[in-house]
Amino acid sequence: MGLTVLRPSGPVAQIYYSDKYDDEEFKYQRVMLPKDIARLIPKTHLMSESEWRNLDVQQSQGLVLFMIHEPEPHILLFSGPMPKNPKK
């Protein structure tokens, strides 16, 4: 999977976004934060959208944080429903 950098300079430039991938029901994306941002992640709960956006994480509408990869807490896992195909 390829990784892309969000911005050209500063700590936000070190936020990496995986390619999006999906299954039959959901689309997914991993976000890898640099250590200086990762230390701001709360340990007591999953962040709300406003919390992760305040860390300069950007996601498409509909994607929600569903897990933090515990062995590597700087990795955030997002998911959202696949668009429904209109019935013909």
Side-chain angles (χ1 to χ4, degrees):
M1 294 187 168
L3 299 176
T4 56
V5 177
L6 177 63
R7 294 187 189 158
S9 63
V12 176
Q14 298 172 7
I15 297 176
Y16 290 94
Y17 296 83
S18 72
D19 290 337
K20 289 182 181 158
Y21 52 100
D22 57 63
D23 59 24
E24 293 178 6
E25 293 184 54
F26 297 97
K27 55 187 172 183
Y28 305 94
Q29 187 171 37
R30 292 182 321 250
V31 176
M32 290 151 272
L33 301 175
K35 289 182 182 183
D36 60 329
I37 295 176
R39 67 181 171 76
L40 302 173
I41 296 172
K43 301 201 184 332
T44 58
H45 64 279
L46 282 177
M47 292 181 286
S48 67
E49 181 175 350
S50 62
E51 287 175 303
W52 52 260
R53 288 199 185 275
N54 283 336
L55 297 178
D56 286 328
V57 173
Q58 297 184 5
Q59 283 296 334
S60 302
Q61 289 287 37
L63 287 181
V64 295
L65 178 64
F66 77 96
M67 184 187 306
I68 295 173
H69 189 237
E70 200 167 310
E72 299 174 293
H74 65 286
I75 298 177
L76 308 178
L77 302 168
F78 288 84
S79 72
M82 290 292 292
K84 301 277 188 213
N85 290 332
K87 293 183 180 182
K88 293 181 179 181

